[in-house]
Each structure stands twice: as C-alpha cells, then as structure tokens.
C-alpha cells in the first residue's frame, strides 16, 4: 500500500525529505528488500529495557527510523516524520517450553523464514525487532532486527545497529574495527606518464567490456539452470533456509599471507569453490556450468562506521547514510579447468584476478548513471524492474561487512555472535518477482572478534543447506591445507 498525503505546509516540509532513487527502487511493486540482522546472546535475554533503548538510542540515529514513505504528487516519494510507538515494532514469539536446542534451531529457522516473507507495514516506520527467548545451538537467546533496505544499505544499517552496542571490556571506549582503508601504495607507484597511460588504457578497456557485459546480463544473458539456480518465476513466494558457518579469522589470514592476496579474495574464493563443489556433488555435469555471482561493493569514500553522536550530529556522516553501493558481475572459476586434479590455490588466484580486473574498471559507476537515466526518463518502477532482471539472470549474491574487534554488549548483555541476511518480501502477484530469493542462493559474510561468520540463504526444496555447508567447509579445509599445512 502506498500512502498519499499533502505535505504542503511549512512545518510538514521541514519534517520531510525526499526518498533517494535507490530507496524508491527497493520499495516498489517490482522490488521490496529488507536486511535481517541477528544478534546471538550468551545468556537468556532480558528485554526490560527494550523500549528505552529504542526511544533513547535507536530512533535518534536517523530521522528515517521515525518516518514513513509517502507519495506527494509531483514531488515524488518523501520520508514523512510520524510519532513512533516502540511497542508496535517489538515482536516476542511464543513457542513450547523445554525443547532441545536442536529443536529450537528448526523453530528459529522457520521463524526467520516467516518474517523474511512478511511485508513490513507501510503505515509505520519500516523496521521491526523480534526477541527470540529460546536457546538454540548457537545462543541462549537471539535478537532479530528487520530493517527495510529503503532506509539504507547494509553499511548504514549495520552502523546503526552497532551504535546501540558497547564494548564488553569498557563501555566508555568506542568499538574498533579492522583497518580497511584503501592502500595508497598503488597510487604512489603510478608516478610517471609512462605508467599512467597504460593504467588509463587498461581502465578504459575493462570499463567497456564490463559495462557491456553488465547490460547483456541485465537484458537477456541468463546463467544456466543448475542445482543452485532454479530460474523459475515466483521464487519469492517460497520459504527459505538460513544456515551459518564459522571460520577462524586467524586461519583466513594465514591463507592470505601465504598467497599474498586479500582476506576478501580468500573468503570469496572459499565461497566460490564451495559452490562449485556443491554443484559437482549434486550433478557432475553442472560443475562448470555458466554461473555468475553479484558481488556487492560499498562505494563510500569513508573508512569506517560512525558512532551514535557522529551519526546524529555530523553532517558528513548523515550525507554518507543511505544506499551507496554497486555490484560486480563475477563469473565463478571452473573446477578442473586445466587438468583433472583440483588446485584450490589456483582457484583463489583466479578469483582474485577476476575481481581485481573488474575493480580496475568504472563499470560500477556507469551502471549507476544508467540506472539514474532510466529513473529520470521512465520512473523508479522501470528502474526496479531493470535491477530485478539483473538479479534474475544471475545465480547468487555475495556481500560482506566488517564487524568489531572487541566483544560487545547490549544493555550489559554479552553478544556471542552476529550475522545478517538480505531477504525479499513478496508484495505483488506471482508474475512479478522480487529481489533476493529470485536468486536461490544468497551469501553474506560478517567478521566479529576473531571469527568470520558466513550466512547462507537458500531456497527450500532446491538447495540442500547441510550439503552446501559441508561443501563450503571442505573448500576451506583443502584450501588451508594447500596454502599453510602443505608448505
């Protein structure tokens, strides 16, 4: 349901702001996307302070948490400030008591699948908090934040979530994050005209090739139908499974050092190799089928998350809020491409080469300009359908976020783990498909303390989640053995 209001008076105008183009794409008849973030707690959850946290900490972070999306004639869609009743946004499900953690694992997964499918009411701000008070295999209780993607991208929303948490060792100190500022080494190396010209030529060629391929992928060039891609309409109406797996960040760093690549190269290589192993184990002839991943990139120029005070008071931080990301079409390397023996190190290096070449391109920005042109001349609905087509023709999405180095608490309750998942919410008839699980496979990655948490969203009835988990864990094992133990 789209609300239409008159916001003509001066007071209302001050309380409203335009919805960004991307925000309009993500809350349309063709697309409706949310981010689910899960906090796992060491001890049973005490929710007595939940309303105070919402009113005093969460809502002040950004006006959009206190706004609804409305339509105002020629002005288009606006964020309209409204009064928020925190109790309307808190859900506490009730299930039978005294079951085993394994039983609650299944209940929790089914519950996540349900809330992933339930649309957020458009008559109130687009977020919810679900408090799951039952012990699973991973936690004594879990807190689920569901936030509409129109509010912001994963970086913005995770920054908002982390701003509600404190360091366990000293709440007066800020959370710290691994340094992921871009190195200036390459910039320093490109000093002379002799090096600038070949670099610029390489960027130009890569841009033309990548942008052209992106248009083809968004228009009619579909991936093969495989054991990870059904390619059928109406996927968004099917339930999902969400499984997670945990890897040692220290071991990932050892692989990184051994291969002289980045941590992103290693974990992306592991995910891609695990996917290929799953395809091979499911159907031998599919192992080298045409398979494309959409790898999401943060396009901000800043180096890290902002604190609550910065988000509220700092104008630059507010400008950096929202949906500021792009994506790369990355073809998964093939198994046994050159010989009959699996070389996991060559697989990672090939993954790195593909991503490095695509990063050495301006296709991401040209795609953004194309989307803006489509929006300007054909409207946000047409743009959303174009994005929908881009996703529909691919096989999987991969996105990652960096979490804090220190252990966290929420209202003095220790956080054991956290992960996130991008989910689709069906709002439209069957013949129109939506964003996330029109792809049958979605992978998200989040670091926290000394661990890397990988969450996998799969279409029920198509992908065997436990088999996929085992294949991915096998990919990590053989890669670690080849890079570290066998040297």
């Amino acid at each position: 349901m789209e609300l239409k209001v008159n916001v003509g008076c001066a007071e209302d105008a001050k309380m409203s702001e335009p919805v960004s183009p991307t925000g309009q794409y993500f809350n349309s008849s063709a697309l409706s996307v949310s981010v689910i973030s899960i906090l796992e707690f060491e001890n049973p959850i005490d929710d007595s302070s939940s309303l105070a946290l919402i009113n005093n900490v969460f809502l002040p972070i950004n006006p959009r948490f206190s706004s609804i999306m409305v339509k105002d004639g020629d002005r288009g869609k606006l964020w309209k400030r409204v009064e928020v009743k925190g109790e309307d946004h808190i859900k506490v499900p009730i299930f039978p008591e005294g079951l085993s953690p394994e039983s609650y694992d299944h209940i929790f997964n089914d519950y996540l699948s349900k809330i992933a499918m339930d649309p957020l009411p458009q008559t109130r701000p687009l977020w919810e908090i679900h408090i799951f008070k039952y012990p699973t295999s991973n936690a004594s209780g879990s807190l689920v934040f569901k936030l509409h993607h129109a509010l912001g991208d994963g970086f913005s929303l995770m920054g908002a979530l982390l701003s509600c948490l404190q360091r366990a060792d000293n709440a007066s100190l800020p959370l710290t994050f691994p340094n992921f500022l871009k190195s200036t080494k390459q910039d320093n190396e490109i000093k002379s005209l002799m090096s600038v010209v070949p670099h610029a030529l390489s960027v130009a060629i890569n841009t033309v090739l990548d942008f052209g391929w992106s248009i083809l992928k968004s228009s009619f060039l579909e991936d093969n139908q495989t054991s990870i891609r059904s390619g059928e309409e109406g996927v968004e109406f099917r339930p999902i499974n969400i499984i997670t797996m945990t890897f040692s960040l220290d071991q990932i760093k050892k692989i990184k050092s051994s291969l002289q690549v980045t941590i992103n190269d290693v974990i992306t290589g592991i995910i891609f190799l695990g996917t290929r192993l799953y395809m091979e184990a499911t159907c031998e002839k599919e192992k080298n089928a045409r398979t494309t991943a959409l790898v999401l990139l943060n396009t901000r120029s800043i180096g890290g998350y902002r604190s609550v005070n910065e988000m509220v008071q700092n104008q630059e931080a507010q400008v950096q809020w929202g949906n500021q990301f792009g994506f790369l079409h990355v073809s998964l390397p093939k198994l046994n491409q050159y010989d009959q023996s699996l070389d996991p190190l060559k697989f990672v290096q090939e993954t790195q080469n593909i991503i490095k070449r695509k990063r050495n391109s301006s296709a991401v920005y040209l795609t953004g300009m194309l989307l803006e042109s489509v929006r300007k001349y054909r409207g946000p609905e047409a743009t959303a359908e174009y994005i929908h087509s881009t996703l529909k023709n691919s096989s999987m999405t991969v996105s990652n976020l960096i979490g804090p180095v220190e252990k966290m608490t929420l209202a003095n309750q220790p956080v054991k783990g956290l992960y996130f998942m991008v989910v689709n919410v069906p709002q439209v008839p069957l013949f129109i498909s939506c964003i996330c699980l029109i792809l049958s496979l979605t992978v998200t990655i989040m670091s926290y303390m000394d661990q890397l948490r990988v969450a996998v969203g799969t279409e029920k009835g198509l992908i065997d989640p436990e088999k996929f988990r085992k294949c991915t864990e096998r990919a990590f094992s053989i890669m670690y053995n080849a890079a570290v133990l066998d040297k």
Side-chain angles (χ1 to χ4, degrees):
M1 179 178 66
E2 182 175 82
L3 299 181
K4 295 184 179 181
V5 299
N6 185 346
V7 290
C9 72
E11 181 179 354
D12 281 345
K14 291 180 181 179
M15 299 296 285
S16 303
E17 64 167 321
V19 178
S20 69
T22 310
Q24 295 185 53
Y25 310 155
F26 282 157
N27 191 27
S28 66
S29 63
L31 297 176
S32 183
V33 192
S34 294
V35 178
I36 291 179
S37 299
I38 296 93
L39 292 177
E40 298 173 333
F41 291 89
E42 289 185 353
N43 305 315
I45 294 178
D46 176 7
D47 60 346
S48 58
S49 60
S50 56
L51 282 176
L53 285 171
I54 288 173
N55 293 326
N56 300 329
V57 179
F58 181 72
L59 293 181
I61 292 174
N62 194 280
R64 295 182 191 179
F65 295 142
S66 303
S67 302
I68 60 174
M69 192 181 292
V70 298
K71 177 76 173 177
D72 181 43
D74 295 337
R75 295 178 64 188
K77 291 183 179 180
L78 303 174
W79 290 112
K80 172 66 177 176
R81 294 289 293 271
V82 296
E83 181 182 355
V84 178
K85 295 181 179 179
E87 57 271 19
D88 292 342
H89 296 261
I90 299 176
K91 313 294 180 182
V92 185
I94 303 297
F95 297 106
E97 299 281 351
L99 303 181
S100 67
E102 291 75 19
S103 296
Y104 286 125
D105 286 343
H106 293 294
I107 291 174
F108 186 57
N109 185 68
D110 289 343
Y111 186 70
L112 288 180
S113 181
K114 177 184 179 300
I115 65 175
M117 303 275 293
D118 289 342
L120 289 164
Q122 299 285 313
T123 54
R124 61 177 184 237
L126 299 172
W127 57 270
E128 290 177 347
I129 297 174
H130 300 256
I131 304 174
F132 190 86
K133 294 187 175 183
Y134 303 91
T136 63
S137 299
N138 294 320
S140 296
S142 302
L143 194 65
V144 182
F145 282 76
K146 181 178 179 181
L147 304 107
H148 202 287
H149 220 314
L151 297 169
D153 56 18
F155 183 91
S156 295
L157 300 180
M158 191 58 66
L161 174 59
L162 294 175
S163 293
C164 301
L165 297 137
Q166 302 84 35
R167 282 177 57 158
D169 58 347
N170 189 336
S172 64
L173 295 176
L175 293 167
T176 61
F177 303 86
N179 181 19
F180 60 102
L181 289 172
K182 294 182 179 179
S183 172
T184 58
K185 180 179 179 181
Q186 185 181 14
D187 297 331
N188 293 333
E189 289 175 350
I190 305 175
K191 295 178 180 179
S192 66
L193 184 62
M194 293 296 291
S195 59
V196 169
V197 172
H199 177 73
L201 183 60
S202 173
V203 170
I205 293 173
N206 290 339
T207 298
V208 171
L209 293 175
D210 291 343
F211 184 59
W213 193 48
S214 175
I215 293 176
L216 290 176
K217 287 294 297 179
S218 299
S219 302
F220 58 84
L221 188 59
E222 290 191 43
D223 280 359
N224 297 129
Q225 288 189 335
T226 64
S227 53
I228 67 164
R229 179 180 182 270
S230 66
E232 297 177 0
E233 300 289 346
V235 172
E236 74 277 12
F237 289 90
R238 300 172 189 173
I240 66 173
N241 282 305
I242 298 177
I243 61 166
T244 67
M245 56 196 92
T246 303
F247 299 107
S248 164
L249 198 52
D250 181 61
Q251 290 181 316
I252 296 285
K253 289 178 180 178
K254 288 181 179 178
I255 300 174
K256 163 190 172 292
S257 298
S258 176
L259 300 183
Q260 296 297 302
V261 295
T262 68
I263 288 180
N264 279 343
D265 292 332
V266 174
I267 191 60
T268 305
I270 290 170
I271 297 301
F272 285 0
L273 180 56
T275 302
R276 284 296 193 193
L277 292 175
Y278 175 85
M279 295 169 70
E280 180 184 42
T282 305
C283 181
E284 170 72 22
K285 66 180 181 180
E286 289 183 357
K287 67 178 183 181
N288 288 328
R290 184 172 63 222
T291 305
T292 306
L294 289 177
V295 179
L296 274 65
L297 302 173
N298 175 23
T299 58
R300 290 170 175 79
S301 59
I302 58 176
Y305 297 113
R306 300 307 200 206
S307 68
V308 172
N309 289 336
E310 287 176 309
M311 286 186 173
V312 174
Q313 300 174 5
N314 189 303
Q315 185 175 2
E316 177 197 358
Q318 289 289 344
V319 170
Q320 292 287 354
W321 183 274
N323 285 285
Q324 300 188 40
F325 68 92
F327 53 79
L328 300 176
H329 288 91
V330 180
S331 296
L332 271 64
K334 296 180 179 179
L335 284 180
N336 310 333
Q337 185 173 4
Y338 305 105
D339 52 51
Q340 294 304 308
S341 61
L342 172 63
D343 187 342
L345 305 188
K346 184 179 291 185
F347 197 94
V348 172
Q349 290 164 346
E350 189 170 348
T351 299
Q352 182 209 27
N353 290 336
I354 295 171
I355 294 177
K356 184 178 180 180
R357 187 189 68 78
K358 288 183 174 293
R359 282 182 176 274
N360 189 31
S361 161
S362 299
V364 168
Y365 303 101
L366 286 181
T367 300
M369 294 170 62
L370 173 63
L371 293 177
E372 177 59 19
S373 297
V374 174
R375 183 196 68 82
K376 182 177 180 180
Y377 295 106
R378 298 181 57 195
E381 292 290 337
T383 312
E385 290 177 8
Y386 183 88
I387 297 173
H388 152 267
S389 178
T390 300
L391 286 142
K392 180 180 180 294
N393 291 346
S394 302
S395 295
M396 60 188 294
T397 59
V398 180
S399 60
N400 68 81
L401 292 171
I402 295 176
V405 174
E406 300 87 11
K407 192 179 191 65
M408 303 182 297
T409 63
L410 177 65
N412 297 317
Q413 300 176 79
V415 176
K416 183 179 180 181
L418 76 160
Y419 58 97
F420 72 101
M421 179 56 56
V422 182
V423 298
N424 146 68
V425 182
Q427 291 185 331
V428 291
L430 186 63
F431 60 86
I432 300 180
S433 298
C434 296
I435 183 171
C436 174
L437 286 185
I438 193 164
L439 282 84
S440 301
L441 178 61
T442 300
V443 180
T444 62
I445 305 153
M446 180 102 195
S447 66
Y448 177 46
M449 295 193 292
D450 57 352
Q451 295 182 333
L452 207 62
R453 191 74 172 271
V454 176
V456 183
T458 62
E459 177 188 341
K460 279 188 178 179
L462 176 68
I463 299 175
D464 182 336
E466 288 302 321
K467 187 175 181 179
F468 189 91
R469 187 210 306 266
K470 290 178 181 177
C471 289
T472 306
E473 290 174 344
R474 180 184 167 220
F476 169 77
S477 178
I478 61 178
M479 199 171 291
Y480 182 77
N481 290 340
V484 180
L485 300 184
D486 294 344
K487 286 197 171 184

